[in-house]
């Protein structure tokens, strides 16, 4: 029973991270009908930015509120910029071309980033993983028995950050001018353009927003795993994509639910069987969902997609 | 928005009318393709470690040779590249066709130059490169220069097998050096055996590697010995009574060491209280470590590779695991200190060679290596160097350069003075040598003791 509770806590902790990344997939799909496979790798770039900032702040000694704030804000801003550049120079020139072209371009960008970052020259970090500094010094907040159930401070902090980010996004999408413009573009880009909405700017904004959320998620992931590496983007990105599809791609709460579900499934599989089964079960679940409910769990509620 | 339409929407600009089963198949297909794509790098990195840049150029020469000679496999090197490389690569290619003619003897090497075990492959390549340079400076072998064609396997068994096929079928090398990880060597060995091309692994310690057949050799000791050394060290020096093991269930190496350690530790009167498993590439070990923490073992044996070990050590420290960490030669990498930080200090590992080994051969090697690469060689570099030296020695002694003759010459290696100890190959084609135990300090590995093989 205590194992179950512990797995539940861990699962929610990793699920919120998948959810944050999945939001980026879902938003971009919402406005462009494009699956941005480079999303995970943009996230990885953000993580390395956060890593660089944390290192320059003093590595493992950077554990302070201001330090965390600085690491997150620089990584999120930098990652937003990367997302913007990817859209501006990677996808925008292909806007009027068949969608397949942009899709394949996104895979190309994904590989360029994840393998480019394995080179060991200049600012590129090389293939080996780097230990992520303990910017949130880990300690137990809550312990039951002899480590039967433990809740860590970083789990609570990352959960809180993730929830704030999601609520912020919800507010932005439904309560602001930019959000309204986003929803309009998502509904019909051409008409939105005719109504005086700067479509290109909205699309750029969507990429910046999605990438910043991804950077935030990536940092939380790096804190959890105590490492960053060039291939993390492919891995986390693929999982988040699955989460987005399970929830119904294009649907914001769906991505969150999908992420949480996937995080829980993985944790329980690792906890009760072996970690080798984790990916098989996660992707198996995707297939089951697609067979039973091809539009994803929340896919039908298309009234307001983002 | 329907997930089913997802891919078809991406494929067509206009929305599909109905959602049949085709988009679903497409979607799943693409998903699978992506998973595969994540496993395999598009295009295989090939590079050349040749001391004679003029004879075989640095990168892409493999492709150039292929497109110039046989146009096998769509390697995709441009025609002009082939033309540019031609004068240089033709001599090498000629040497491949007729091993006794030409002026270059081409060896093959498979190593993890990228990926999670990249430092293994790079150290080994440096060692081999240095050996080849030394040999060529002294006039080469049989009046010819040695050259090595290196293929990157990204640390993956399937890529290792592909690289072997290329080395044997396309490059027609006389001998193959590689790999470090036993899992990769095991993927390569059957191909070497089947085509009768001798293979020398510098540092794969799993016994099964040389059991594949009589063309497979190694210049290091084998796992049973490393497990034996650590069990003995834990009982005799650390006086440990209980041990826990965290093994990598995807790695033959880790499983092999775990078996022998368990057997020896029990035989010496200790108790293995818990054995947990992870899979290579995992990054969160808290579940396993929490289980181990409950059993309060004196020592925690982690026969794994440095990337995983660094993270395990960090997370173990966070969780308050107090056991002394013990490891094996897979720990050895400069990255271990960076990944493990202070958490890894005070741990012990078994190894082939100590960096401060006072013997003149080892010292000379260290100086040469430092001059060439600006770093202190690790044991993988030393073993890479030894493997190439043993190979050259055998090639010089061999009757001719055919597979069986070279094989016989390698098998006859006796008391060869390697930089990581004297090498004699036994009838199982394994080197018999002592092991050292090192203590992890602040960025250094300190020599603790030497443990001899049981007579």
């Amino acid at each position: 029973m205590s194992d179950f509770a512990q797995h539940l806590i861990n699962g929610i902790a990793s699920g919120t991270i998948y959810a944050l990344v999945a939001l980026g997939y879902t938003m971009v799909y919402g406005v462009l009908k494009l699956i941005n496979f480079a999303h995970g790798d943009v996230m990885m770039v953000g993580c390395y930015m956060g890593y660089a900032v944390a290192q320059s702040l003093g590595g493992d000694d950077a554990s302070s509120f201001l330090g965390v704030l600085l690491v997150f804000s620089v990584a999120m801003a930098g990652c937003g910029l990367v997302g913007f550049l990817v859209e501006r120079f990677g996808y925008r020139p292909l806007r009027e071309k068949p969608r397949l072209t942009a899709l394949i371009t996104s895979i190309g960008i994904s590989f360029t980033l994840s393998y480019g970052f394995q080179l060991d020259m200049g600012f590129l970090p090389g293939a080996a993983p780097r230990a992520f500094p303990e910017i949130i010094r880990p300690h137990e907040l809550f312990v039951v028995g002899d480590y039967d159930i433990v809740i860590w401070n970083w789990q609570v902090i990352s959960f809180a950050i993730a929830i704030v980010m999601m609520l912020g996004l919800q507010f932005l999408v439904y309560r602001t001018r930019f959000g309204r413009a986003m929803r309009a573009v998502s509904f019909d880009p051409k008409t939105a353009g005719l109504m005086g909405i700067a479509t290109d700017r909205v699309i750029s904004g969507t990429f910046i927003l999605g990438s910043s959320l991804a950077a935030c998620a990536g940092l939380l992931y790096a804190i959890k795993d105590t490492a960053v590496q060039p291939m993390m983007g492919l891995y986390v990105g693929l999982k988040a994509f699955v989460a987005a599809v399970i929830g119904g791609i294009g649907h914001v709460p769906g991505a969150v639910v999908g992420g949480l579900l996937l995080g829980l499934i993985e944790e329980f599989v690792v906890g009760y069987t072996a970690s080798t089964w984790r990916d098989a079960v996660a992707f198996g679940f995707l297939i089951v969902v697609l067979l039973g409910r091809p539009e994803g769990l929340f896919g039908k509620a298309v009234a307001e997609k983002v | 928005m329907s997930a089913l339409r997802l891919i078809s929407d991406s494929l067509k600009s206009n929305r599909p009318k109905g959602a049949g089963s085709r988009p679903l198949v497409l979607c799943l297909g693409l998903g699978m393709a992506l998973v595969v794509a994540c496993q395999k790098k598009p295009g295989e990195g090939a590079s050349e470690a040749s001391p004679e840049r003029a004879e075989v150029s640095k990168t892409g020469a493999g492709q150039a040779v292929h497109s110039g000679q046989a146009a096998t496999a769509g390697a995709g090197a441009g025609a002009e590249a082939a033309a540019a490389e031609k004068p240089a690569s033709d001599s090498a290619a000629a040497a491949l066709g007729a091993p006794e003619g030409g002026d270059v003897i081409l060896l093959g090497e498979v190593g993890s130059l990228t990926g999670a075990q990249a430092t293994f492959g790079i150290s080994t390549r440096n060692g081999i490169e240095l050996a080849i340079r030394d040999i060529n400076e002294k006039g080469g072998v049989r009046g010819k220069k040695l050259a090595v064609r290196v293929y990157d396997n990204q640390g993956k068994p399937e890529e290792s097998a592909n690289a072997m096929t290329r080395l044997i079928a396309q490059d027609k090398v006389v001998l193959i050096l590689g790999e470090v990880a036993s899992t990769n060597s095991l993927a390569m060995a059957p191909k070497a055996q089947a085509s009768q091309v001798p293979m020398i692994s510098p540092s794969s310690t799993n016994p099964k590697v040389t059991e594949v057949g009589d063309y497979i050799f190694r210049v290091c000791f084998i796992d049973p010995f490393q497990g034996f050394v650590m069990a003995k060290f834990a009982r005799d020096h650390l006086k440990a009574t209980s041990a826990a093991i965290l093994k990598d269930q995807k790695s033959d190496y880790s499983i092999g060491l775990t078996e022998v350690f368990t057997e020896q530790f029990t035989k010496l009167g200790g108790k293995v209280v818990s054995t947990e498993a992870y899979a290579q590439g995992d990054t969160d070990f808290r579940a396993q470590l929490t289980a181990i923490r409950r059993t309060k073992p004196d020592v925690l044996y982690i026969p794994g590779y440095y990337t995983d070990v660094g993270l395990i050590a960090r997370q173990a420290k966070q969780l308050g695991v107090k056991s002394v960490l013990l490891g094996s030669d897979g720990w050895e990498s400069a990255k271990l200190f960076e990944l493990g930080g202070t958490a890894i200090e005070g741990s012990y590992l078994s190894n082939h060679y100590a960096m401060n080994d006072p013997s003149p051969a080892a010292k000379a090697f260290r100086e040469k290596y430092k001059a060439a690469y600006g770093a202190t060689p690790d044991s993988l570099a030393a073993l890479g160097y030894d493997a190439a030296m043993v190979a050259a020695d055998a090639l010089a002694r061999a009757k001719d350069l055919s597979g069986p003759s070279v094989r016989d010459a390698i098998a006859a290696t006796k008391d060869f003075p390697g930089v990581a100890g004297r090498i004699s190959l036994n009838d199982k084609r394994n080197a018999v040598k002592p092991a050292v135990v090192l203590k992890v300090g602040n960025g250094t590995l300190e020599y603790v003791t030497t443990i001899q093989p049981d007579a």
Side-chain angles (χ1 to χ4, degrees):
Chain A
M1 191 56 215
S2 65
D3 278 356
F4 181 84
Q6 184 67 61
H7 291 318
L8 195 69
I9 292 163
N10 296 348
I12 290 173
S14 51
T16 44
I17 295 172
Y18 288 146
L20 274 180
V21 185
L23 286 173
Y25 277 105
T26 264
M27 289 197 308
V28 166
Y29 185 79
V31 297
L32 273 188
K33 303 288 172 290
L34 164 74
I35 297 167
N36 177 19
F37 280 115
H39 187 58
D41 301 285
V42 170
M43 177 201 90
M44 178 271 296
V45 175
C47 281
Y48 272 100
M49 289 176 178
Y51 169 81
V53 174
Q55 281 296 3
S56 63
L57 285 178
D60 280 349
D61 303 322
S63 174
S64 70
F65 180 73
L66 263 178
V68 172
L69 201 68
L70 198 63
V71 168
F72 272 81
S73 41
V74 170
M76 287 175 70
C79 200
L81 180 69
V82 174
F84 168 77
L85 293 175
V86 165
E87 194 277 332
R88 180 64 190 80
F89 298 105
Y91 303 143
R92 193 176 296 178
L94 303 170
R95 191 77 53 76
E96 303 307 320
K97 299 277 189 309
R99 288 228 173 84
L100 183 62
T101 320
L103 184 80
I104 289 173
T105 304
S106 79
I107 295 175
I109 293 172
S110 164
F111 282 152
T112 308
L113 289 176
S114 56
Y115 288 104
F117 265 63
Q118 291 198 31
L119 296 172
D120 202 350
M121 48 195 212
F123 67 96
L124 297 168
R130 299 289 183 92
F132 196 78
E134 288 177 351
I135 54 170
I136 300 178
R137 176 113 34 241
H139 64 84
E140 306 88 333
L141 278 187
F142 177 78
V143 182
V144 175
D146 182 20
Y147 263 58
D148 292 333
I149 305 175
V150 189
I151 299 182
W152 292 85
N153 61 338
W154 55 265
Q155 285 179 325
V156 175
I157 293 170
S158 64
F159 188 73
I161 293 177
I163 295 294
V164 167
M165 288 292 157
M166 286 172 201
L167 291 178
L169 180 70
Q170 197 74 3
F171 175 81
L172 190 93
V173 169
Y174 290 102
R175 295 275 184 279
T176 63
R177 273 176 73 86
F178 177 73
R180 200 180 316 142
M182 240 169 105
R183 281 180 289 145
V185 171
S186 152
F187 196 72
D188 187 338
K190 284 226 170 64
T191 316
L194 291 175
M195 297 296 134
I197 293 171
T199 321
D200 278 348
R201 209 182 296 164
V202 169
I203 290 170
S204 289
T206 309
F207 270 85
I208 293 172
L209 204 59
S211 304
S212 301
L213 286 179
C216 175
L219 288 175
L220 297 178
Y221 191 81
I223 290 169
K224 174 172 95 76
D225 280 0
T226 63
V228 285
Q229 54 174 333
M231 297 304 281
M232 70 188 285
L234 276 180
Y235 178 77
V236 180
L238 194 61
K239 286 298 171 56
F241 169 64
V242 170
V245 173
I246 288 175
I249 196 154
H251 190 267
V252 169
V256 175
V257 174
L260 282 173
L261 261 177
L262 196 68
L264 285 170
I265 289 170
E266 287 195 3
E267 175 68 24
F268 281 112
V269 169
V270 175
Y272 288 111
T273 62
S275 64
T276 25
W277 282 101
R278 179 183 48 208
D279 295 355
V281 175
F283 292 115
F285 181 69
L286 170 71
I287 293 173
V288 171
V289 168
L290 285 180
L291 287 175
R293 209 178 146 74
E295 65 279 12
L297 295 178
F298 293 84
K300 273 280 151 59
V302 290
E304 285 181 313
K305 60 182 174 8
V306 179
Chain B
M1 177 42 59
S2 143
L4 237 182
R5 292 183 192 154
L6 182 92
I7 298 304
S8 48
D9 266 17
S10 297
L11 295 177
K12 302 171 202 160
S13 312
N14 51 338
R15 297 159 65 91
K17 293 287 183 288
S21 63
R22 205 173 54 130
L24 177 69
V25 172
L26 254 171
C27 179
L28 293 180
L30 197 86
M32 297 292 281
L34 241 137
V35 173
V36 173
C38 294
Q39 303 292 322
K40 287 193 175 155
K41 189 171 163 183
E44 191 180 22
S47 74
E48 292 286 338
S50 165
E52 307 291 325
R53 295 279 153 79
E55 279 171 39
V56 185
S57 80
K58 184 79 186 162
T59 327
Q63 278 90 335
V65 172
H66 304 151
S67 40
Q69 291 288 310
T72 2
E80 61 279 6
E85 299 284 356
K86 223 167 173 170
S89 15
D90 263 1
S91 61
L96 315 181
E100 287 293 83
D103 51 3
V104 170
I105 300 176
L106 190 67
L107 311 183
E109 183 194 341
V110 181
S112 49
L113 303 180
T114 60
Q117 299 157 18
T119 71
F120 290 172
I122 293 164
S123 282
T124 308
R125 188 198 55 191
N126 289 350
I128 291 175
E129 215 169 35
L130 199 61
I132 300 291
R133 194 157 68 197
D134 283 359
I135 294 160
N136 285 343
E137 269 170 16
K138 286 180 189 142
V141 170
R142 306 172 91 99
K144 292 174 205 160
K145 302 274 183 197
L146 290 186
V148 181
R149 177 149 301 163
V150 191
Y151 287 118
D152 177 22
N153 62 8
Q154 302 158 45
K156 294 174 189 164
E158 62 275 16
E159 295 290 336
S160 310
N162 291 344
M164 278 303 265
T165 309
R166 289 174 72 173
L167 284 173
I168 295 169
Q170 296 181 5
D171 302 329
K172 301 207 165 39
V173 297
V174 296
L175 185 150
I176 288 159
L177 300 168
E179 225 271 312
V180 175
S182 295
T183 313
N184 295 336
S185 290
L186 281 170
M188 290 157 59
K191 302 218 171 210
Q193 183 65 25
S195 0
Q196 301 201 330
V197 176
M199 166 177 149
I200 303 179
S201 165
S203 39
S204 284
T205 49
N206 190 300
K208 286 183 206 144
V209 172
T210 47
E211 283 165 14
V212 170
D214 58 353
Y215 278 80
I216 320 298
F217 299 87
R218 76 179 107 215
V219 294
C220 58
F221 49 66
I222 56 175
D223 285 342
F225 187 56
Q226 278 206 80
F228 167 87
V229 164
M230 246 354 188
K232 204 167 148 101
F233 179 76
R235 283 295 293 146
D236 295 354
H237 289 74
L238 300 177
K239 313 285 179 217
T241 53
S242 59
I245 302 172
L246 184 53
K247 67 174 176 188
D248 174 358
Q249 61 191 3
K250 263 186 178 169
S251 143
D252 294 321
Y253 164 81
S254 193
I255 294 166
L257 263 74
T258 301
E259 277 169 16
V260 182
F261 180 89
T262 309
E263 190 192 306
Q264 273 297 326
F265 195 72
T266 317
K267 207 160 105 190
L268 294 170
K271 191 162 185 274
V272 175
V273 288
S274 140
T275 303
E276 295 283 326
Y278 67 92
Q280 209 175 92
D282 281 2
T283 42
D284 191 343
F285 306 92
R286 289 189 176 80
Q288 295 95 323
L289 289 169
T290 306
I292 286 172
R293 188 185 181 280
R294 288 204 196 105
T295 61
K296 297 192 172 50
D298 292 334
V299 293
L300 170 55
Y301 188 47
I302 315 170
Y305 296 126
Y306 63 90
T307 37
D308 303 323
V309 172
L311 299 184
I312 291 171
R314 250 171 205 265
Q315 294 176 18
K317 193 184 170 202
Q318 285 182 9
L319 283 167
V321 174
K322 298 273 188 291
S323 320
V324 177
L325 306 184
L326 303 180
S328 49
D329 63 330
W331 283 29
E332 195 191 15
S333 162
K335 291 277 172 203
L336 178 72
F337 308 109
E338 197 234 294
L339 280 170
T342 52
I344 199 81
E345 283 173 26
S347 310
Y348 298 91
L349 63 135
S350 57
N351 209 343
H352 304 270
Y353 141 103
M355 285 193 199
N356 41 8
D357 186 333
S359 81
K363 226 168 134 186
F365 169 67
R366 271 201 299 278
E367 275 154 20
K368 264 187 292 189
Y369 191 93
K370 198 142 196 183
Y373 304 106
T376 316
D378 54 15
S379 65
L380 297 173
L383 290 169
Y385 185 88
D386 281 358
M389 282 301 191
V390 166
D393 174 61
L395 287 173
R397 282 188 286 111
K399 207 159 71 246
D400 51 60
L401 290 184
S402 69
S405 312
V406 175
R407 191 217 83 84
D408 292 344
I410 302 173
T413 303
K414 265 272 162 307
D415 277 328
F416 183 84
V419 292
R422 296 193 93 75
I423 298 164
S424 293
L425 294 176
N426 65 11
D427 56 349
K428 290 188 176 123
R429 299 168 299 285
N430 299 323
V432 182
K433 19 181 353 192
V436 294
V437 174
L438 307 174
K439 184 173 186 175
V440 184
N442 179 16
T444 56
L445 294 174
E446 291 146 23
Y447 172 82
V448 180
T449 181
T450 301
I451 294 187
Q452 298 291 337
D454 268 357

